[in-house]
Amino acid sequence: MTNKSITDYLNVIASNNVTSYPSLNPNDIGDLVLKIPSSKTEQQKIAKVLSDLDAKIELNNTINDNLEHMAKTLYDYWFVQFDFPNADGKPYKTSEGKMVWNEDLKREIPVGWEMKNLGDLINIFDSKRIPLSRSQREQRIGSIPYYGATSIMGYVDEHIFDDDYILLAEDGSVMDENGFPIVQFIWGKTWVNNHAHVIQAKNITNNEFVFQLVKTISVVQIITGSIQLKINQENLRNVKVILPDKNILKKFSRIAIPIRKKLINSIEENQELASLRDWLLPMLMNGQVSVGEFEEELRMVAESGVEYKRS
């Protein structure tokens, strides 16, 4: 059903139906003539290959969720509860580490930590953003992710960024159901439109700290506008944050950066597995290739995520 020839055919039918908007009725789908292998055994082999790939993708998604949770838990434990490891490797606050009252926060923070503006920690690269209309993107389809305020909106043929960055939604859907900002972590060659702030830590090794930090900002305190909500650069830069001791930041980065690398590798592996699955489906269904030709390679991919390159 996801074969391009089928979706194009259904799109034509939907567009030609005499309604106020494109639509399909059940018979349009029920009357489709599909080419499938006549052997039930062959059908089952194809289904097994595809379901194995889907299972590996789902496993990676579960691993990614756990890695995200691990990074957030570590951040909360160290920088919200202040139970980072002290000189003896014990939880700082729980082990009665020295604290000092902070008037801005109306709470105690560890001795040696200080209040800063977020702008003191980050660079913002909004001037490099370039918006593309839908028609422009359709004329420039490629493999480079095109990011909007909340997600990838498509793929284009060039990039304007090539590094690790943090995106924070600027307008429109600027916060989640809990009132925190919509934040994305991007890497490699990318293109970003003008609806997301492009942020990077001034010391890039602190990117993971900044990523977790901006996710805890209360959006209500920094938004402008009543109908069209917006987070402007000035408000973002002026957010008051706690700056930890440099040595604690280094320790956090040594743990958090490898977690991020595992996440990225897993996401990229899933993209390759999904691409392989979508390429294989019509080839197998049309009899252009057989399961036997790829059985060993596919088994390795499905079981261990070995990268599979199509010739």
Side-chain angles (χ1 to χ4, degrees):
M1 292 294 293
T2 59
N3 189 299
K4 189 175 185 301
S5 63
I6 299 297
T7 56
D8 287 348
Y9 174 74
L10 291 175
N11 278 329
V12 170
I13 293 177
S15 298
N16 290 334
N17 275 342
V18 185
T19 57
S20 58
Y21 52 87
S23 63
L24 293 170
N25 64 58
N27 288 338
D28 294 329
I29 299 172
D31 292 341
L32 284 173
V33 177
L34 306 174
K35 182 179 179 181
I36 62 173
S38 57
S39 165
K40 185 176 181 180
T41 300
E42 187 66 17
Q43 293 175 25
Q44 291 172 333
K45 286 182 179 179
I46 293 172
K48 178 67 165 58
V49 167
L50 300 175
S51 62
D52 283 349
L53 290 171
D54 283 337
K56 175 60 179 173
I57 291 171
E58 184 59 33
L59 174 61
N60 282 349
N61 287 335
T62 300
I63 292 171
N64 289 350
D65 289 342
N66 289 335
L67 290 170
E68 291 278 13
H69 179 71
M70 186 187 304
K72 183 182 183 306
T73 300
L74 182 68
Y75 174 87
D76 289 345
Y77 195 59
W78 284 26
F79 303 115
V80 178
Q81 300 177 40
F82 304 133
D83 265 337
F84 52 90
N86 64 14
D88 299 321
K90 296 180 179 179
Y92 182 86
K93 187 176 181 181
T94 301
S95 302
E96 300 184 352
K98 292 183 179 180
M99 307 287 286
V100 61
W101 180 260
N102 183 277
E103 189 60 31
D104 290 328
L105 292 176
K106 305 298 182 185
R107 64 175 297 192
E108 290 186 326
I109 64 174
V111 170
W113 292 29
E114 56 185 332
M115 290 293 295
K116 288 283 188 179
N117 288 338
L118 181 60
D120 295 327
L121 307 182
I122 64 172
N123 292 315
I124 299 179
F125 296 92
D126 290 359
S127 61
K128 293 182 63 177
R129 303 174 304 180
I130 303 175
L132 295 175
S133 66
R134 182 189 296 270
S135 61
Q136 287 175 315
R137 297 200 302 272
E138 289 174 350
Q139 293 170 10
R140 303 185 55 175
I141 293 176
S143 59
I144 305 299
Y146 177 88
Y147 285 89
T150 61
S151 63
I152 294 175
M153 300 179 65
Y155 294 85
V156 293
D157 57 355
E158 290 185 50
H159 68 277
I160 51 179
F161 295 100
D162 188 4
D163 208 342
D164 293 350
Y165 294 95
I166 299 148
L167 302 186
L168 187 145
E170 178 178 354
D171 51 32
S173 300
V174 297
M175 60 182 170
D176 63 20
E177 64 275 9
N178 297 313
F180 297 116
I182 306 295
V183 183
Q184 304 173 77
F185 191 100
I186 67 172
W187 64 92
K189 292 180 170 60
T190 54
W191 189 302
V192 183
N193 72 13
N194 60 332
H195 296 292
H197 293 296
V198 183
I199 300 168
Q200 189 178 68
K202 288 184 176 179
N203 178 350
I204 197 169
T205 60
N206 293 333
N207 248 13
E208 282 301 317
F209 171 76
V210 171
F211 176 66
Q212 297 295 338
L213 172 63
V214 297
K215 290 197 296 182
T216 66
I217 295 171
S218 174
V219 171
V220 174
Q221 298 177 6
I222 58 174
I223 55 172
T224 60
S226 55
I227 299 176
Q228 177 70 3
L229 301 180
K230 183 179 178 68
I231 299 174
N232 60 41
Q233 277 198 37
E234 182 181 2
N235 286 354
L236 187 60
R237 291 181 187 277
N238 289 332
V239 172
K240 295 292 184 182
V241 299
I242 305 174
L243 181 62
D245 175 85
K246 290 182 179 179
N247 291 327
I248 299 301
L249 275 178
K250 287 180 181 178
K251 288 180 180 179
F252 178 78
S253 295
R254 283 199 295 267
I255 300 171
I257 289 175
I259 293 175
R260 176 62 54 186
K261 288 181 178 178
K262 289 181 180 179
L263 264 165
I264 290 172
N265 289 340
S266 187
I267 291 170
E268 291 179 343
E269 180 180 288
N270 269 6
Q271 291 169 344
E272 180 63 25
L273 290 171
S275 176
L276 172 60
R277 177 199 60 203
D278 295 344
W279 173 81
L280 266 177
L281 177 57
M283 301 285 282
L284 290 168
M285 294 297 287
N286 294 332
Q288 293 172 265
V289 297
S290 68
V291 173
E293 292 178 63
F294 295 89
E295 200 159 19
E296 181 60 22
E297 294 92 334
L298 290 171
R299 184 190 64 78
M300 293 174 64
V301 171
E303 291 181 0
S304 62
V306 174
E307 187 175 5
Y308 184 84
K309 294 296 184 182
R310 302 189 300 275
S311 61

